[in-house]
Amino acid sequence: MNSESMDVRVDYSRVFTQAIDRLHAEGRYRVFIDILRNKGSFPNARCFAGHNGPKPITVWCSNDYLAMGQHPKVIAAMEEALHDVGAGSGGTRNIGGNTHYHVDLEGELADLHDKEAALLFTSGYVSNEATLATLAKILPGCVIFSDELNHASMIAGIRNSGCEKRVFRHNDLAHLEALLAAEDPSVPKLIAFESVYSMEGDVAPIAAICDLADRYNALTYLDEVHAVGMYGARGGGISEREGVADRLTIIEGTLGKAFGVMGGYIAASRTIIDVIRSYAPGFIFTTSLSPVLVAGVLASVRHLKGSSAEREGQQASAALLKGMFAEAGLPVMIGDTHIVPLMVGDPVKAKKISDVLLAEYGVYVQPINYPTVPRGTERLRFTPGPAHTPAMMRELTDALVEIWGRLALRKAA
């Protein structure tokens, strides 16, 4: 190696700085708010935004949709577990982390979705990535058919599987069928899609997709993360509400949204669960969830199986806020789910609205920018819960109308 080549050095710091500068230039640099929720009084919280101590705020974008993270049964169960078995799980499920809490929760989740078995993961992201990647590797020559708006974790799992994929237009049954029909009938097929799409607030035609799966001999993988706990008589999701859970090969869900704690899971046949348990690196080599967390989820799942009050309150809040936004001429994206997106269409303006709401009105809602949503569809995403009052909603609507006028933003047509 000559001296000239040794003088050509990579300026690593410059590369990293440029990467961050690009995000700032595009208006999509992410800022994490520093907050603490007030136990027992959600959606009230306090924000550490300056040097004058915490400022009271109202949270409007939490995925703890039903405030179960604040529920007395959940907190009591976690406290009891903490004093019974301590803080950590002790390792992977194989080595030391297979506590009786984990076994009980998997039984409850299998029952929730009317499946033979269930398997816990540390997050919904990991459950999607690990399961999809492992399934496709087990099925030789598998082709995965993926909705174009599937979550990043599903996309990562499909990519890591190394299998062929076919992306169909969002909720477009004709396009999906055309892709299925064009494939070799002897090839293993898997259709991966979501029930509730969290940025659009719309719902997949699950039964019709199952019909196509039956017709073309495909497996089905349904992500219900934004629906478990929220829909169905016992909180089993859209698939329970529509009576089609038994037609789905695998149902995936989260424990960190409507159930209010942390974790992810899949529910399926005993054989499929055993395959994922035995082959998925994302399960095998990860320390299991703390039994304290699992105990909290267990209490939450059991409560929501028997109580619909939280679901009904949440749906009423979402409908009321959508109506207020529409009446005020704000560009709300109307759907029939609990998600209330407000279209902005510009990352800089979305961030500005969020900043003004927090600084001047004590309202916390994060802007949703690329890559979470396509460029040009940036938005604010509100998730009103059963504890958001009509007065809070009126104050929020008035604040948004004032900001829309101040920034000369276009209202809904």
Side-chain angles (χ1 to χ4, degrees), residues 343-358:
M343 181 58 68
V344 179
D346 180 273
V348 176
K349 290 176 181 177
K351 179 68 167 61
K352 179 65 175 176
I353 298 167
S354 174
D355 289 345
V356 173
L357 282 171
L358 183 63

Side-chain angles (χ1 to χ4, degrees), residues 79-90:
E79 289 177 338
E80 181 180 350
L82 177 66
H83 293 292
D84 182 28
V85 300
S89 68

Side-chain angles (χ1 to χ4, degrees), residues 99-263:
T99 76
H100 190 63
Y101 288 103
H102 292 76
V103 175
D104 272 355
L105 180 55
E106 286 172 342
E108 289 286 353
L109 293 169
D111 171 76
L112 178 65
H113 296 293
D114 197 24
K115 297 296 183 187
E116 292 179 344
L119 190 66
L120 288 175
F121 293 84
T122 50
S123 73
Y125 188 104
V126 175
S127 56
N128 271 335
E129 193 281 328
T131 303
L132 286 167
T134 301
L135 268 181
K137 288 176 181 176
I138 292 294
L139 294 167
C142 180
V143 177
I144 296 184
F145 299 80
S146 175
D147 188 288
E148 66 177 340
L149 294 187
N150 276 344
H151 190 264
S153 58
M154 300 175 77
I155 295 170
I158 295 168
R159 182 184 300 118
N160 292 341
S161 74
C163 73
E164 291 288 320
K165 69 175 179 180
R166 309 283 183 262
V167 178
F168 61 94
R169 291 185 292 271
H170 178 54
N171 281 348
D172 190 329
L173 294 171
H175 190 212
L176 173 58
E177 180 163 22
L179 293 173
L180 287 165
E183 208 60 56
D184 183 342
S186 67
V187 168
K189 304 173 187 68
L190 173 66
I191 305 171
F193 62 109
E194 301 183 36
S195 58
V196 173
Y197 287 85
S198 65
M199 295 302 145
E200 309 297 316
D202 60 352
V203 176
I206 302 175
I209 291 176
C210 288
D211 290 341
L212 290 177
D214 291 343
R215 190 175 307 153
Y216 293 95
N217 191 30
L219 303 177
T220 49
Y221 182 99
L222 178 65
D223 178 317
E224 286 256 46
V225 295
H226 291 278
V228 290
M230 304 291 295
Y231 301 92
R234 301 192 306 156
I238 300 293
S239 58
E240 182 196 17
R241 186 186 74 179
E242 298 184 0
V244 294
D246 62 311
R247 301 186 63 190
L248 294 153
T249 310
I250 300 174
I251 295 175
E252 184 266 349
T254 183
L255 308 171
K257 293 182 171 61
F259 292 128
V261 189
M262 180 183 176

